[in-house]
Amino acid sequence: MVTPRQLLLVVFPLLLASCSTGGDDAKSGPSASDAEAVVRDFYGAFGQGHFDTACAYWSSDYAAVSVKRWNDDGYGEPVKDCPGLLASLSDVYAMVGDPADQLEVTDTEGELTDDTTARVDVTIASSQGDAETYLLTLTDGDWLITGDDPGSDMLDSSTATPSG
């Protein structure tokens, strides 16, 4: 006959193992929710006018391509860098209202496309329900925005931005 003490000695370690395994699995590998958080944080910083902080969520290649696209397509006065681009975009939003209100994220939906890339659809208050799509790459353990899908970015370009 098995005593309650013997049963406890067998079951307790199994319970501990099952509890700790669940926690380890939850923390291992990249997640779509982490990529969504980066896009939300980008918009939060952008809307508050913290352009340097917002630009830190973009890869340097994406920032350079976005600045070039702004300047080449004549969206406004030429800009030199990512913070200048976001400041110019903020000025455009300010013509209609408070940029913080307009850039408030109302929804995100992300998916991992493989172990190091994700796609995040984000809807902001001013978009009238139309989502913008960003591509993110896991770089040195952090998600960075590395591109956008054609026709869905904030500049309404007709060409895809490279994601690398």
Side-chain angles (χ1 to χ4, degrees):
M1 176 171 191
V2 176
T3 67
R5 178 175 157 73
Q6 290 171 327
L7 185 60
L8 193 58
L9 289 173
V10 172
V11 173
F12 187 70
L14 293 173
L15 289 174
L16 283 178
S18 68
C19 289
S20 65
T21 301
D24 289 345
D25 287 346
K27 292 182 181 181
S28 66
S31 74
S33 62
D34 290 341
E36 289 177 27
V38 165
V39 174
R40 285 182 177 278
D41 291 347
F42 159 73
Y43 273 102
F46 179 22
Q48 293 299 316
H50 304 292
F51 305 129
D52 288 328
T53 301
C55 287
Y57 293 105
W58 286 10
S59 71
S60 57
D61 287 346
Y62 181 61
V65 167
S66 297
V67 166
K68 182 176 181 348
R69 186 170 45 191
W70 172 272
N71 291 335
D72 288 353
D73 291 346
Y75 288 109
E77 292 295 318
V79 297
K80 294 180 183 179
D81 54 17
C82 180
L85 170 62
L86 295 183
S88 291
L89 286 167
S90 185
D91 290 345
V92 172
Y93 281 106
M95 290 180 197
V96 189
D98 183 359
D101 292 340
Q102 295 179 66
L103 295 169
E104 181 181 348
V105 174
T106 59
D107 189 37
T108 58
E109 186 174 324
E111 68 176 328
L112 295 179
T113 54
D114 62 35
D115 288 343
T116 60
T117 59
R119 175 188 170 107
V120 174
D121 294 328
V122 60
T123 305
I124 58 174
S126 66
S127 69
Q128 300 175 356
D130 293 330
E132 298 175 10
T133 301
Y134 290 95
L135 309 173
L136 290 86
T137 302
L138 196 59
T139 306
D140 297 328
D142 294 319
W143 287 108
L144 289 177
I145 298 170
T146 55
D148 52 66
D149 273 355
S152 66
D153 70 323
M154 62 189 152
L155 301 178
D156 194 33
S157 77
S158 61
T159 59
T161 300
S163 61

